[in-house]
């Protein structure tokens, strides 16, 4: 049960070690939240935001959030769906991206998911795999393994595996090939349904900061010089947040144009700007982006 002080702060659960831990701590720092957890401490308070951080095993985070031991959590989306706890996904965090994929031995001929009919599948994600098989109308035997899933086909334990994949190098080293992506995952912010009004307001403040950091990472600030007779064409290529900023240069007939470009469109638009007559293009990273 929460004491009075706990009613006026958020308790955040994050992974206690590993890549998601590092990325979670980095995100909090980019959000201006200062946390020093020392060595081997299981919880720590922020010095400049009403939040307390618990450092837990990632598989345990959805349970802690559902039970109200933690108010919110940063955890992989794959863990949320596998554990199937009563929590809500409030925000996708943009890091920890991976995919849960089926893999078979490299000499197998795999045309579609029906290859798995009546086969044995080794995985650490039986719930997600079971749901996938049901949607495909496939019956298969699932062997739940907590680790070293990749060796299962080689020792005759399974015909296929389903595991998290990033580069695919581990599969290759174990004589396997990726054949079917069944779930795309990234780190998400989850919450329980027990937040009071003050905590809900704190959560919205935190999400606002997270969204500002994410927008900054997905965009670049650019400055360029443009001949005035090409301004309309160049401005037409720049979506920006509303409209580009245009300032006259000391050199007659030229202007400086400032704008923001999305990372996904960046190179295509830069090439078009060059072709339209833009010169001296500078690209600057954005630390925060408030819209």
């Amino acid at each position: 049960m929460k004491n009075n002080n706990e009613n006026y702060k958020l308790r955040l659960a994050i992974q206690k070690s590993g890549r998601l831990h590092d990325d979670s701590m980095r995100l909090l720092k980019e959000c201006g939240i200062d946390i020093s957890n020392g060595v081997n401490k299981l919880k720590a308070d922020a010095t400049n935001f009403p939040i307390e951080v618990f450092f837990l095993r990632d598989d345990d985070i959805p349970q802690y959030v559902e039970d109200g031991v933690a108010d919110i959590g940063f955890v992989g989306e794959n863990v949320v769906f596998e554990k199937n706890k009563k929590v809500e996904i409030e925000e996708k965090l943009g890091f920890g991206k991976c995919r849960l994929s089926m893999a078979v031995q490299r000499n197998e001929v795999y045309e579609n998911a029906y290859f798995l009919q009546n086969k044995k599948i080794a995985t650490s994600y039986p719930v997600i795999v079971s749901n996938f098989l049901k949607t495909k109308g496939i019956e298969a035997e699932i062997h739940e393994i907590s680790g070293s899933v990749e060796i299962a086909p080689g020792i005759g334990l399974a015909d296929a595996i389903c595991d998290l994949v990033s580069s695919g190098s581990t599969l290759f080293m174990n004589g396997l090939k990726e054949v079917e992506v069944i779930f795309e995952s990234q780190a998400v912010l989850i919450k329980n349904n027990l937040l009071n009004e003050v905590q809900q307001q704190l959560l919205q403040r935190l999400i606002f900061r997270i969204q500002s950091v994410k927008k900054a990472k997905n965009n670049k600030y650019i400055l360029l010089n443009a001949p005035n007779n090409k301004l309309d064409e160049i401005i037409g290529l720049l979506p920006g947040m509303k409209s580009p900023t245009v300032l006259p240069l000391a050199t007659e007939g030229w202007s400086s144009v400032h704008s923001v470009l999305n990372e996904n469109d960046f190179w295509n638009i830069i090439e078009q700007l060059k072709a339209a007559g833009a010169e001296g293009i500078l690209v600057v990273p954005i630390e925060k982006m408030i819209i």
Side-chain angles (χ1 to χ4, degrees), residues 113-148:
Y114 293 98
F115 169 91
L116 302 169
Q117 181 70 28
N118 298 323
K119 296 290 198 303
K120 296 178 182 179
I121 304 170
T123 186
S124 301
Y125 298 91
V127 173
I128 296 176
V129 171
S130 178
N131 290 338
F132 169 76
L133 295 175
K134 285 177 183 177
T135 62
K136 297 290 186 179
I138 295 170
E139 292 187 6
E141 185 178 339
I142 298 174
H143 287 261
E144 184 176 358
I145 300 178
S146 59
S148 301

Side-chain angles (χ1 to χ4, degrees), residues 222-238 244-258 272-282:
I222 68 165
L223 305 86
L224 60 88
N225 297 332
N228 290 344
N229 61 351
K230 295 285 187 175
L231 266 180
D232 289 343
E233 182 181 354
I234 288 172
I235 288 173
L237 295 170
L238 295 169
T245 299
V246 179
L247 302 170
L249 291 178
T251 303
E252 188 175 347
W254 285 80
S255 295
S256 176
V257 181
H258 300 212
Q272 295 177 57
L273 290 170
K274 284 287 292 179
E279 297 181 4
I281 301 173
L282 299 179

Side-chain angles (χ1 to χ4, degrees), residues 10 25 39 52 72 74 83 85 102 104 106 111 113 135 162 179 204 211 213-214 223 230 251 266 268 290:
L10 286 173
M25 294 297 287
V39 179
E52 182 179 20
I72 60 175
F74 293 172
K83 297 303 179 181
K85 301 300 180 182
M102 291 286 180
V104 300
R106 280 205 297 270
E111 295 182 353
T135 62
C162 188
V179 293
Q204 292 309 309
Q211 290 175 342
V213 170
K214 285 168 57 182
L223 305 86
K230 295 285 187 175
T251 303
F266 179 78
N268 286 336
I290 315 298

Side-chain angles (χ1 to χ4, degrees), residues 25-202:
M25 294 297 287
R26 186 178 301 111
L27 175 60
L28 291 172
K29 183 177 181 180
E30 290 170 340
C31 288
I33 299 173
D34 185 20
I35 296 169
S36 178
N37 65 313
V39 179
N40 297 324
K41 289 182 65 177
L42 296 181
K43 66 177 184 176
D45 284 294
T47 58
N48 58 353
F49 192 89
I51 196 167
E52 182 179 20
V53 180
F54 298 162
F55 303 98
L56 308 171
R57 288 180 64 252
D58 59 341
D59 287 351
D60 294 335
I61 291 174
Q63 183 71 66
Y64 275 79
V65 174
E66 179 188 68
D67 292 343
V69 176
D71 303 305
I72 60 175
F74 293 172
V75 67
E77 198 172 2
N78 57 299
V79 176
V80 176
F81 280 83
E82 180 63 29
K83 297 303 179 181
N84 197 27
K85 301 300 180 182
K86 294 178 182 177
V87 297
E88 297 180 25
I89 294 177
E90 281 287 291
E91 183 76 18
K92 296 194 174 186
L93 300 177
F95 60 81
K97 293 183 179 180
C98 58
R99 58 193 183 273
L100 187 62
S101 295
M102 291 286 180
V104 300
Q105 291 182 307
R106 280 205 297 270
N107 61 354
E108 295 281 8
V109 178
Y110 185 99
E111 295 182 353
N112 54 51
Y114 293 98
F115 169 91
L116 302 169
Q117 181 70 28
N118 298 323
K119 296 290 198 303
K120 296 178 182 179
I121 304 170
T123 186
S124 301
Y125 298 91
V127 173
I128 296 176
V129 171
S130 178
N131 290 338
F132 169 76
L133 295 175
K134 285 177 183 177
T135 62
K136 297 290 186 179
I138 295 170
E139 292 187 6
E141 185 178 339
I142 298 174
H143 287 261
E144 184 176 358
I145 300 178
S146 59
S148 301
V149 176
E150 296 86 358
I151 69 170
I155 61 176
L157 179 63
D159 304 295
I161 71 164
C162 188
D163 202 16
L164 291 179
V165 177
S166 52
S167 67
S169 59
T170 304
L171 295 179
F172 182 81
M173 288 187 294
N174 285 276
L176 302 175
K177 61 181 178 181
E178 183 180 5
V179 293
E180 187 101 22
V181 177
I182 72 169
F183 191 86
E184 298 276 1
S185 179
Q186 64 175 287
V188 294
L189 187 162
I190 59 173
K191 73 164 191 173
N192 62 41
N193 297 313
L194 306 174
L195 301 188
N196 60 40
E197 185 177 349
V198 172
Q199 291 171 321
Q200 189 62 47
Q201 291 173 355
L202 290 174

Side-chain angles (χ1 to χ4, degrees), residues 4-23:
N4 288 335
N5 288 335
E6 289 175 330
N7 288 327
Y8 296 99
K9 67 180 178 182
L10 286 173
R11 295 168 302 168
L12 165 66
I14 69 171
Q15 189 171 315
K16 64 181 179 180
S17 61
R19 183 179 173 186
L20 283 190
H21 167 87
D22 296 340
D23 288 340

